[in-house]
Amino acid sequence: MTVIGNGSLSVEPNIVQIQLEVVTENKQLSQAQKENATAMNQVIESLLELGIGRENIQTISYTIYPQYDYIEGKKIFRGYEVTNAITVKTTNIEEVGNVIDVAVENGATGVSNIHFTVENQQLAYQEALSLALRDSLAKAQTMAQTMQLQLDPNPIKIIEQGRDQPVAYRTLSTIESTGSTPIEQGQITITATVSVQYRY
């Protein structure tokens, strides 16, 4: 017989990655780039002052787009938009809201993709995999007992199914606020699935 075993494990995240963006616009491309660089340098310096290591700050994209207005069917050049996006990684989960507030206060114009995860995903997955194998055996024993069959508990074939990345995401936009930005990390559910064949 072939049975599907499922196992899941809920864990507290201990790493968070935040995407921060600085967007500037100017008719002169060089000026838009200069303003963007000044603002992003200020954001990075403020993060370093919070104790975030430079190795945990990474540029993920830098884009330049011409901007146009459409007036009475005519395309009129407005200027250039420059966007610089970075990711910031920290293990201080409780300070995520403060990190966002400080970045926005110092020039960040966008916040997105707040990504919670765990440092040792493989260890947690192995625990979930063990639960999935136990689940498969319990199901096989139930079916064997119901059909009055003699089950050999040693599987003859085990196939590990594909797994999803155990992450939790939060997305928000920059808004005016007098209080600290509330961010709840919740828990991450790590799942494992196996297809197991038993002999009877």
Side-chain angles (χ1 to χ4, degrees), residues 114-130:
I114 300 175
H115 170 189
F116 293 95
T117 186
V118 290
E119 185 174 10
N120 196 337
Q121 293 183 14
Q122 188 60 29
L123 182 62
Y125 176 73
Q126 287 171 359
E127 290 185 42
L129 191 60
S130 178

Side-chain angles (χ1 to χ4, degrees), residues 4 11 32 53 85 140 150 161:
I4 302 297
V11 296
Q150 187 66 38
Q161 305 293 318

Side-chain angles (χ1 to χ4, degrees), residues 47-182:
L47 296 173
L48 294 174
E49 289 175 8
L50 283 178
I52 296 173
R54 192 174 289 274
E55 70 277 7
N56 292 322
I57 302 172
Q58 182 180 26
T59 299
I60 57 170
S61 69
Y62 186 89
T63 59
I64 299 172
Y65 291 111
Q67 301 295 302
Y68 298 92
D69 290 324
Y70 293 86
I71 302 174
E72 297 179 355
K74 293 183 178 179
K75 184 178 178 182
I76 300 174
F77 178 70
R78 188 174 75 233
Y80 292 95
E81 182 183 271
V82 178
T83 302
N84 190 353
I86 62 172
T87 58
V88 181
K89 183 172 76 172
T90 179
T91 56
N92 194 348
I93 302 293
E94 294 77 16
E95 285 296 310
V96 174
N98 186 46
V99 169
I100 292 171
D101 291 341
V102 169
V104 170
E105 288 168 6
N106 284 276
T109 56
V111 183
S112 61
N113 293 341
I114 300 175
H115 170 189
F116 293 95
T117 186
V118 290
E119 185 174 10
N120 196 337
Q121 293 183 14
Q122 188 60 29
L123 182 62
Y125 176 73
Q126 287 171 359
E127 290 185 42
L129 191 60
S130 178
L131 293 172
L133 288 168
R134 292 178 196 172
D135 181 55
S136 73
L137 178 57
K139 288 177 179 177
Q141 289 173 334
T142 298
M143 287 189 283
Q145 290 170 5
T146 301
M147 300 299 294
Q148 297 182 341
L149 302 172
Q150 187 66 38
L151 180 74
D152 182 351
N154 298 307
I156 58 175
K157 187 176 183 181
I158 300 173
I159 300 175
E160 179 186 7
Q161 305 293 318
R163 58 168 169 160
D164 296 327
Q165 286 297 318
V167 297
Y169 288 94
R170 300 290 185 273
T171 300
L172 63 127
S173 58
T174 304
I175 57 174
E176 292 292 332
S177 175
T178 55
S180 178
T181 301

Side-chain angles (χ1 to χ4, degrees), residues 10-38:
S10 294
V11 296
E12 294 284 345
N14 53 19
I15 295 176
V16 63
Q17 285 186 319
I18 310 161
Q19 182 174 318
L20 302 171
E21 297 176 354
V22 170
V23 181
T24 55
E25 189 174 322
N26 197 287
K27 281 192 174 183
Q28 299 297 322
L29 177 56
S30 60
Q31 188 62 27
Q33 290 179 295
K34 182 179 179 180
E35 291 170 2
N36 194 287
T38 299

